[in-house]
């Protein structure tokens, strides 16, 4: 299911908001994927192999990521990104939201009540740019300053892309609270595509 008509349409398609929420390095792009494109990508994702080794379902492409060891290396290579992911990644590149083609993707599925704990993506594992594309439903993501504990909530609309670089990547944690609704709206299923570039040692 794809959430529609819940929020006002943006003034312009593909509006790109830099230093979003006054967090340097945080970029929010609305309507990165149209509803029909989201449905097509979701169908491809759902035909893929879901892993159930976390509380939520995930799929790993490019390189597997070891959550416990917080590590990734050449032995974890599982092949090139699948065509649906390359299409989305190519659009990120075309729209200059990333500087190089991502080589790793983690797909996360959130059912109502599920979230992700506050974290900073593994610094030695992944390069500066991390992008999450939201499919299906709008969920709130909190950004938490490591220095001050300040919390800034961002509603990630369905079809949006959120880019974390620099301060947003390294000095703010992000989390999605495990709850049933956001801003008074009951959650439905959300699927996110998080693209990264792996740092491989010598
Ligand atoms: O679901 C998201 O948008 C974020 C996922 C995330 O933070 C992660 O996989 O580390």
């Amino acid at each position: 299911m794809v959430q529609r008509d819940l929020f006002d349409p943006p003034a312009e398609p593909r509006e790109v908001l830099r230093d979003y929420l006054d967090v340097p390095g945080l970029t929010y792009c609305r309507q990165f994927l149209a509803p029909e494109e989201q449905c097509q990508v979701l169908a491809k994702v759902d035909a893929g192999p879901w892993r159930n080794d976390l509380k939520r379902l995930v799929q790993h492409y490019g390189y597997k990521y070891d959550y416990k060891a917080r590590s990734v290396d050449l032995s974890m290579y599982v092949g090139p990104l699948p065509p649906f992911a390359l299409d989305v990644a190519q659009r990120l590149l075309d729209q200059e939201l990333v500087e190089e083609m991502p080589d790793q993707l983690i797909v996360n599925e959130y059912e109502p009540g599920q979230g992700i704990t506050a974290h900073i993506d593994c610094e030695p594992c992944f390069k500066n740019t991390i992008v999450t594309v939201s499919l299906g439903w709008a969920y709130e993501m909190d950004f938490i300053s490591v220095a001050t504990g300040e919390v800034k909530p961002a509603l990630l609309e369905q079809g949006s892309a959120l880019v974390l670089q620099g301060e947003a990547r390294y000095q703010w944690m992000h989390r999605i609270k495990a709850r049933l609704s956001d801003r008074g709206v009951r959650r439905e299923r959300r699927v996110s595509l998080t693209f990264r570039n792996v740092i491989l040692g010598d």
Side-chain angles (χ1 to χ4, degrees):
M1 178 173 191
V2 173
Q3 183 184 23
R4 292 170 186 265
D5 303 330
L6 183 58
F7 304 98
D8 291 335
E12 292 176 14
R14 306 239 165 88
E15 184 184 13
V16 176
L17 305 169
R18 307 237 174 229
D19 293 343
Y20 190 54
L21 306 175
D22 287 329
V23 176
L26 191 63
T27 300
Y28 183 57
C29 176
R30 308 181 79 184
Q31 292 197 347
F32 175 73
L33 292 181
E36 297 70 28
E37 293 172 320
Q38 292 177 59
C39 290
Q40 288 164 10
V41 174
L42 268 175
K44 297 274 169 48
V45 165
D46 279 327
W50 287 108
R51 286 169 48 171
N52 61 359
D53 43 351
L54 296 178
K55 278 189 189 156
R56 55 183 191 281
L57 295 181
V58 294
Q59 297 180 14
H60 291 202
Y61 293 104
Y63 292 81
K64 278 191 203 158
Y65 175 63
D66 183 336
Y67 291 96
K68 279 201 185 120
R70 280 178 71 84
S71 77
V72 60
D73 63 43
L74 205 50
S75 71
M76 288 141 141
Y77 183 66
V78 289
L81 298 188
F84 80 84
L86 287 174
D87 288 348
V88 177
Q90 186 62 50
R91 184 174 296 180
L92 290 171
L93 201 56
D94 292 346
Q95 300 202 2
E96 299 179 354
L97 292 170
V98 297
E99 329 64 36
E100 63 179 313
M101 197 67 173
D103 59 12
Q104 204 255 358
L105 166 66
I106 295 182
V107 182
N108 283 288
E109 182 201 59
Y110 303 86
E111 293 286 2
Q114 293 182 322
I116 189 166
T117 52
H119 65 283
I120 288 177
D121 285 32
C122 175
E123 298 180 24
C125 307
F126 304 114
K127 293 189 189 173
N128 177 44
T129 300
I130 301 207
V131 185
T132 189
V133 175
S134 297
L135 304 172
W137 207 261
Y139 278 37
E140 205 169 61
M141 178 177 276
D142 290 328
F143 287 86
I144 304 150
S145 164
V146 173
T148 66
E150 184 184 7
V151 180
K152 297 194 177 198
L155 188 68
L156 305 187
E157 295 158 299
Q158 65 282 8
S160 67
L162 184 82
V163 187
L164 281 71
Q165 293 169 312
E167 201 171 301
R169 155 91 172 93
Y170 296 109
Q171 290 169 41
W172 291 73
M173 295 187 286
H174 54 280
R175 76 166 171 223
I176 293 173
K177 281 195 172 158
R179 62 187 180 204
L180 294 173
S181 60
D182 294 288
R183 305 187 184 187
V185 178
R186 277 190 75 81
R187 285 182 178 172
E188 297 281 345
R189 180 184 190 230
R190 170 179 185 263
V191 171
S192 64
L193 312 181
T194 304
F195 290 93
R196 304 177 175 90
N197 288 91
V198 165
I199 300 172
L200 293 172
D202 299 331

